[in-house]
Amino acid sequence: MKLEGKKIGFGMTSSYCTLMEVLEPMQALKDLGADIYPVVSEGVRDNSSRFHDRDTFIDKVREIAGRNEIGTIAEAETLGPGNVMDIMIVAPATGNTIAKTANGIWDTPVLMASKATLRNGKPLLIAVFSNDALSMNGENIMKLYNTKNIYFVPFGQDDPVKKPNSMMSDISLLVESAVQAMEGKQIQPSIISMR
């Protein structure tokens, strides 16, 4: 599998416990020849957490991509008129990001980059990381699942006993999901067992 010449937006939102995990598939996409355009939400751009150091994370993102992150709405907006992306990936995608996408709210850099990509008829790939995927956000996920040009990294319940409404994507399937999404296909099965 080769991705030479493919321009891939890689949006990261504030699921802090997952941020370090997405660096591996980002690197894998780069190793396959993709040109990575990292996009970060304000929460990722500005904050450290108990799971990661902000400066270490941003430095690693820049190292992998070979460019600075897009960290403002104004910067992300230019991706649409320039028809820059072949695909936009949002990993991790929080419940907040999923809800706003489902309702056409584009008020963060990652959301604006997603809108910019969709306006050009290109795929948006979502990696779900939401504690309320089977409660308040369930309808938003299903709305997006039935929306043209939106695809999902396969996801399932990550802890059905302690967090029965929580679902997360299998990040090891992100690269294959992106390849299939660029071919207009949803990788299957899309809802999986995480146990």
Side-chain angles (χ1 to χ4, degrees):
M1 162 183 6
K2 297 291 182 188
L3 296 175
E4 280 92 357
K6 295 296 184 185
K7 293 181 176 6
I8 297 181
F10 203 110
M12 293 153 279
T13 65
S14 301
S15 177
Y16 295 119
C17 60
T18 312
L19 283 174
M20 297 305 288
E21 293 177 40
V22 302
L23 295 175
E24 185 175 337
M26 183 189 297
Q27 181 68 62
L29 291 165
K30 182 73 170 182
D31 292 344
L32 290 168
D35 191 7
I36 307 294
Y37 289 75
V39 186
V40 295
S41 68
E42 292 92 339
V44 173
R45 183 191 67 207
D46 298 337
N47 300 315
S48 295
S49 75
R50 64 188 171 107
F51 301 101
H52 82 297
D53 175 75
R54 177 258 180 224
D55 293 335
T56 301
F57 178 75
I58 293 294
D59 286 347
K60 186 63 177 171
V61 167
R62 290 172 179 169
E63 178 186 326
I64 292 170
R67 60 169 44 94
N68 286 342
E69 70 284 358
I70 294 168
T72 68
I73 293 172
E75 291 171 329
E77 188 277 333
T78 65
L79 300 173
N83 197 11
V84 175
M85 300 302 165
D86 291 299
I87 186 172
M88 179 69 192
I89 297 167
V90 181
T94 61
N96 187 56
T97 297
I98 290 164
K100 288 183 175 185
T101 302
N103 290 285
I105 300 168
W106 314 107
D107 63 353
T108 72
V110 172
L111 289 164
M112 181 57 73
S114 298
K115 175 189 178 185
T117 304
L118 286 170
R119 73 171 275 208
N120 293 320
K122 304 291 177 60
L124 170 62
L125 177 66
I126 296 172
V128 173
F129 286 86
S130 173
N131 286 326
D132 65 349
L134 288 175
S135 55
M136 296 301 290
N137 244 318
E139 67 179 298
N140 294 318
I141 292 169
M142 290 302 107
K143 183 177 179 180
L144 293 175
Y145 196 87
N146 197 39
T147 301
K148 182 179 179 181
N149 293 328
I150 295 182
Y151 303 89
F152 286 87
V153 178
F155 59 99
Q157 286 180 284
D158 52 298
D159 189 349
V161 174
K162 293 181 182 174
K163 299 190 301 179
N165 294 323
S166 180
M167 297 184 90
M168 64 183 280
S169 286
D170 182 344
I171 213 72
S172 72
L173 298 173
L174 188 147
V175 173
E176 180 59 28
S177 298
V179 169
Q180 290 206 28
M182 285 188 281
E183 295 173 355
K185 300 173 187 171
Q186 170 63 54
I187 190 172
Q188 295 293 345
S190 57
I191 298 177
I192 59 174
S193 172
M194 296 294 288
R195 303 188 71 160

